[in-house]
Amino acid sequence: MKVLVIGGGAREHALCRSLSLDPDVTALHCAPGNAGIAEVAEQHQVNVLDGIAVADLAGSLGVDLVIVGPEAPLVAGVADAVRDRGIPCFGPSAAAARLEGSKAFAKDVMATAGVPTARSYVCVNAEEVDEALDAFGPPYVVKDDGLAAGKGVVVTEDVAVARAHALACDRVVIEEFLDGPEVSLFAITDGETVLPLQPAQDFKRALDGDEGPNTGGMGAYSPLPWADPKLVDEVLETVLQPTVDDLRRRGTPFSGLLYAGLAITSRGVRVIEFNARFGDPETQVVLARLKTPLAGVLLRAATGTLELQPPLRWSDGAAVTVVIASHNYPGTPRTGDPITGLAEAAEHEKTYVLHAGTKLAESGEVVSSGGRVLSVTATGSSLATARERAYRALDVIDLDGSHHRTDIAARAAEPR
Ligand code: AMP
Ligand code: GLY
């Protein structure tokens, strides 16, 4: 099978790494890729938001499957353009990707599907904003309706901060604060059959102890030793299957990766958000534990034959990933700084470095080119071992001005 992956983050590097280890994959292409992906896939330049250009590239490469990684091309209709060309594509249509592209649309789907989520108001002017803030009280949760790379959400005790963020958005969702640990649960679906993956936990805040601003994600781990073993079955029944069924009934079937961001509250599981693609950095740890070769599963989802898929096989071990971010991320990041120690880090046992914002400079050096730069990933028989390995490898990597969290998976790895 010949495969083309669209995107160039650590999630796409994780996807490409798994695909490169899959014996069914005979050729692997990625556009645009990055300096790490270049080691496992042939890279191509394309405007990833241009569906026709992506379909042309897929056609000229003669690939059997296109996998669209990030949300922006999905929301722009890239999967539609590829499918229109008769090429199987893993990723939802633009219409179904609105589940991520509009928080208000996601709330509407959850309401008709009976999926438990935070109570919310959609506001378009200052009066509505003030009423909603007043109705819920602190802590305030204020979400830009549109795509914002994980940075459109403000959670704050300060009503002035909440109000300022709300007024800076065209359309804003203001909702009830959900208390409790967060879980990311991914499911692969062809629009009918839903195949959940293993849950992971992401660390969204920039600083240790969940302080600082929201980011795209600073680290992740899987499995979740503290979670109810019945969690996956429960979420399949109450969240994932009803959502997929509702979108099919609306005439906009969702095929691809359905990502449920969940809060485990004292009153039960609630959906915080849906995404229409693999999460980053959770994918790095989920795929590290998946033993079933990936390409066949994604092809079945893309061709509507997921019901034929045998149960997925998982490693009993653990995986931890820690993100190294550029100076000033999640603000405007500084880029172009050289990265050293990558080869040494990769020699560490059961550890690998996935690239996000990196590129090969003309000098031949690997330099930073984005906010999240690397995702240092390790596996082990326990979370404690995986965590220790990831941090040991991270220690030998040098990127001037960079920062990372030191507490990824720390609590979960403690003896229970
Ligand atoms: P989202 O982009 O919707 O996932 O929001 C980003 C992050 O903001 C989430 O991962 C949570 O940590 C936090 N958040 C979002 N909605 C809520 C909520 N209703 N209650 C508490 N925290 C929330
Ligand atoms: N890790 C959060 C996300 O992918 O949206």
Side-chain angles (χ1 to χ4, degrees), residues 181-187 196-204 219-227 231-232 259-264 279-289 314 319-321 383 408-409 412:
E182 286 179 40
V183 172
S184 300
L185 184 63
F186 302 163
L197 307 186
Q198 288 283 306
Q201 191 171 50
D202 174 20
F203 292 74
K204 289 246 168 68
Y221 67 92
S222 177
L224 312 179
W226 49 269
L231 179 71
V232 174
Y259 166 139
L262 307 163
I264 314 298
D280 187 345
E282 299 96 314
T283 299
Q284 288 86 301
V285 290
V286 172
L287 292 185
R289 298 186 52 227
W314 296 94
V320 172
T321 196
L383 278 174
I408 303 301

Side-chain angles (χ1 to χ4, degrees), residues 126-371:
E127 207 183 340
E128 290 176 3
V129 164
D130 287 334
E131 265 176 43
L133 293 175
D134 209 39
F136 291 125
Y140 301 99
V141 182
V142 182
K143 302 184 171 187
D144 194 335
D145 179 50
L147 285 184
K151 291 176 252 168
V153 177
V154 166
V155 180
T156 176
E157 296 278 341
D158 185 336
V159 70
V161 172
R163 193 165 190 275
H165 181 59
L167 297 181
C169 306
D170 282 340
R171 238 157 92 91
V172 66
V173 174
I174 294 180
E175 67 179 33
E176 163 193 26
F177 178 78
L178 297 174
D179 205 359
E182 286 179 40
V183 172
S184 300
L185 184 63
F186 302 163
I188 292 171
T189 175
D190 59 4
E192 250 184 275
T193 301
V194 181
L195 198 62
L197 307 186
Q198 288 283 306
Q201 191 171 50
D202 174 20
F203 292 74
K204 289 246 168 68
R205 299 283 187 143
L207 306 176
D208 282 2
D210 295 329
E211 301 284 338
N214 264 318
T215 70
M218 295 297 289
Y221 67 92
S222 177
L224 312 179
W226 49 269
D228 184 340
K230 296 194 294 293
L231 179 71
V232 174
D233 287 343
E234 182 192 337
V235 176
L236 175 61
E237 195 180 313
T238 62
V239 174
L240 299 167
Q241 191 71 54
T243 300
V244 166
D245 291 345
D246 185 77
L247 283 162
R248 193 178 58 250
R249 278 188 220 113
R250 285 173 189 243
T252 53
F254 186 105
S255 92
L257 194 291
L258 177 58
Y259 166 139
L262 307 163
I264 314 298
T265 75
S266 53
R267 290 180 296 143
V269 173
R270 298 280 184 279
V271 173
I272 291 182
E273 64 164 347
F274 281 128
N275 291 318
R277 36 91 196 159
F278 281 100
D280 187 345
E282 299 96 314
T283 299
Q284 288 86 301
V285 290
V286 172
L287 292 185
R289 298 186 52 227
L290 178 66
K291 288 208 235 162
T292 306
L294 185 62
V297 187
L298 301 188
L299 182 65
R300 283 196 170 119
T303 53
T305 54
L306 202 56
E307 64 181 342
L308 303 176
Q309 176 63 42
L312 299 176
R313 289 177 297 112
W314 296 94
S315 124
D316 293 332
V320 172
T321 196
V322 183
V323 170
I324 301 180
S326 296
H327 179 71
N328 204 42
Y329 176 81
T332 308
R334 196 174 86 200
T335 57
D337 289 304
I339 305 164
T340 57
L342 290 171
E344 295 89 311
E347 277 169 20
H348 287 229
E349 194 187 0
K350 300 205 190 270
T351 305
Y352 45 91
V353 182
L354 298 169
H355 291 225
T358 69
K359 66 173 192 193
L360 214 50
E362 269 167 33
S363 61
E365 268 180 323
V366 177
V367 301
S368 60
S369 66

Side-chain angles (χ1 to χ4, degrees), residues 106-130:
K107 285 290 187 190
D108 189 54
V109 171
M110 286 188 262
T112 50
V115 169
T117 185
R119 289 178 298 125
S120 65
Y121 294 107
V122 181
C123 309
V124 295
N125 60 44
E127 207 183 340
E128 290 176 3
V129 164
D130 287 334

